[in-house]
Amino acid sequence: MLLSLDYRLLDTMGYDEEVSLSGVRNSTRQYLLHTIIYSLEQPAPNLAHYLLGFELSKPVNKTNLQDPGILGSQKTCLHSLLTILDKGIGTLGGPQALIETPKLSELFYKLVYMLAANKDTSAAILRYLRTSWDFLYRHLQHVPFNGPFVTNHQSWLLRTVAIELRMTTLNRQRSHTQRLMKLLLDDHIDDPEQGILPGIDETVDTGFDKFSDTSYFQSSFHSHTTKQLQVIYINELSNVQSNVMLANRPRILKEVQGILKNVVSRNSVRKSLSVKQQSYDAWRQVAEIWLTSCPEDLMPREIRQTVLFELLQELLSKVAEEDALTELTAPVSGTFLTLMANLKQCFVVEL
């Protein structure tokens, strides 16, 4: 090769790399999950429904998911994935899959959200996760997720929690709603700094790692495929055979290598921005569902006021940070209005 670049940095597929049997097994699982996620977007019934154990002989939304062996139910991909993701839950270390197979676990959290958001599968999957695994509550106990490769895992989980809050409220399952709310606010009376909603500092990040070298690009953030760029540059160099080109070839190759390294850095910045946007949007969904859908009598008015005041204060401090970007702070305005409207309602009720 003309350029001695580290292709591990240029790999845009995002799969966990490990030259071993476990690595092959993990990659196979990822490909299978990609297939299931793609199939889930197709009309029902589809391959995803079959692999996950949903009914095909009757409407999918009539499915009653069960553990393997219950009422003749067979073990499916859903059971296997839940078993993998459940390892480490309830321990100090948290979900092991976040460290051992981060990409696989992210795909599964995404799959759970897609199932919960789909009208055909929502009721069945949420009921099964709630009654057989207590999935959302137990995983929510480990938020915020930490780890070198943890990206959108928490965002997909919080989005699913928002749907669960909405559904349990509509179905008047007060005990389930109250249990989740208590965990989200984490006994706010005892410690107002704790909880997933009040603890926005750990959940939402509006800061930004500045891109060090912008000499090759304009300021707009677009992702580029480094391998394609490399092929284009090498082809162009190969087509030019002039003496001037041959004399300056080492310098040109060095410059091309610098461009590609900058592309890798820029793609990393773009990915970081996307992760932070997803993180805030997931937090916003949970906060707005709590404010607009959950019964007000599940929380004393004084505590509700305290939470609202602290959320407003935290959001204001976030958008006022020097390194905050417009892309991350602009969506906060809608949340401000919702918080202010609810805070006003608290005082109106008192009067």
Side-chain angles (χ1 to χ4, degrees):
M1 297 299 294
L2 293 173
L3 296 179
S4 57
L5 295 177
D6 188 347
Y7 283 96
R8 289 173 297 178
L9 294 176
L10 303 181
D11 184 12
T12 58
M13 292 298 292
Y15 295 110
D16 302 324
E17 295 183 359
E18 185 179 354
V19 185
S20 65
L21 179 60
S22 61
V24 173
R25 184 182 295 113
N26 183 43
S27 295
T28 303
R29 289 168 175 167
Q30 290 180 41
Y31 278 114
L32 178 59
L33 267 177
H34 278 295
T35 302
I36 292 175
I37 289 173
Y38 173 79
S39 300
L40 196 59
E41 298 174 349
Q42 309 308 312
N46 53 50
L47 178 63
H49 297 146
Y50 171 73
L51 293 176
L52 296 174
F54 287 87
E55 289 283 355
L56 302 182
S57 58
K58 57 183 180 181
V60 174
N61 59 6
K62 301 297 182 181
T63 300
N64 185 21
L65 295 172
Q66 299 286 353
D67 288 333
I70 304 298
L71 299 178
S73 299
Q74 297 181 349
K75 187 174 183 179
T76 65
C77 294
L78 179 63
H79 300 123
S80 299
L81 290 168
L82 284 170
T83 301
I84 293 173
L85 205 56
D86 212 50
K87 292 180 180 179
I89 294 296
T91 66
L92 293 177
Q96 295 179 12
L98 296 182
I99 300 175
E100 297 175 358
T101 54
K103 186 60 181 178
L104 179 69
S105 57
E106 180 186 351
L107 288 172
F108 184 60
Y109 279 120
K110 179 180 179 180
L111 175 62
V112 171
Y113 166 74
M114 292 181 66
L115 290 169
N118 186 289
K119 62 181 180 63
D120 292 325
T121 59
S122 179
I125 190 65
L126 289 176
R127 180 172 58 249
Y128 178 65
L129 293 178
R130 185 189 314 124
T131 58
S132 297
W133 290 80
D134 199 14
F135 180 86
L136 295 177
Y137 183 86
R138 294 169 64 241
H139 282 254
L140 199 59
Q141 289 178 315
H142 294 281
V143 170
F145 291 152
N146 295 309
F149 303 107
V150 173
T151 52
N152 290 319
H153 305 66
Q154 181 172 298
S155 300
W156 293 121
L157 177 62
L158 289 179
R159 282 186 170 90
T160 310
V161 169
I163 297 175
E164 171 75 346
L165 276 175
R166 175 65 173 165
M167 295 303 296
T168 55
T169 300
L170 289 176
N171 295 329
R172 299 183 179 181
Q173 297 172 297
R174 290 175 59 88
S175 60
H176 292 295
T177 304
Q178 187 173 26
R179 189 165 175 253
L180 279 176
M181 283 180 57
K182 183 177 180 181
L183 181 58
L184 288 169
L185 299 170
D186 200 17
D187 291 328
H188 202 73
I189 299 176
D190 299 327
D191 192 348
E193 299 298 328
Q194 296 297 318
I196 296 169
L197 289 180
I200 188 174
D201 275 334
E202 297 182 359
T203 310
V204 180
D205 184 7
T206 57
F208 197 53
D209 297 328
K210 303 299 182 183
F211 183 58
S212 58
D213 188 353
T214 59
S215 58
Y216 294 110
F217 303 97
Q218 297 178 351
S219 58
S220 59
F221 292 102
H222 297 286
S223 296
H224 301 272
T225 304
T226 49
K227 288 185 178 180
Q228 291 180 355
L229 285 176
Q230 184 187 18
V231 171
I232 293 173
Y233 288 138
I234 297 304
N235 288 338
E236 291 294 328
L237 291 176
S238 300
N239 293 333
V240 179
Q241 300 296 335
S242 65
N243 293 331
V244 176
M245 174 61 191
L246 293 175
N248 293 280
R249 191 176 185 84
R251 183 176 62 83
I252 295 175
L253 289 176
K254 184 177 180 180
E255 184 172 349
V256 170
Q257 186 173 7
I259 292 174
L260 293 177
K261 287 183 177 179
N262 273 267
V263 170
V264 173
S265 298
R266 178 166 288 276
N267 286 347
S268 177
V269 168
R270 180 63 183 174
K271 181 178 180 180
S272 175
L273 175 61
S274 176
V275 168
K276 292 175 182 180
Q277 287 174 326
Q278 297 284 343
S279 176
Y280 171 75
D281 190 60
W283 179 90
R284 176 194 61 79
Q285 290 182 29
V286 175
E288 292 185 359
I289 289 295
W290 164 61
L291 291 171
T292 60
S293 298
C294 296
E296 295 184 7
D297 60 343
L298 292 181
M299 176 183 294
R301 187 179 300 111
E302 295 78 9
I303 304 302
R304 189 180 183 88
Q305 289 177 3
T306 303
V307 175
L308 290 171
F309 272 124
E310 291 189 0
L311 289 179
L312 285 168
Q313 184 177 4
E314 292 288 351
L315 285 176
L316 284 172
S317 65
K318 281 288 183 182
V319 298
E321 292 177 353
E322 293 183 0
D323 61 344
L325 289 184
T326 304
E327 293 91 336
L328 298 174
T329 58
V332 176
S333 57
T335 308
F336 272 134
L337 293 176
T338 303
L339 292 172
M340 291 296 293
N342 279 267
L343 187 60
K344 176 184 177 182
Q345 186 63 30
C346 288
F347 288 104
V348 169
V349 172
E350 285 185 350
L351 296 175

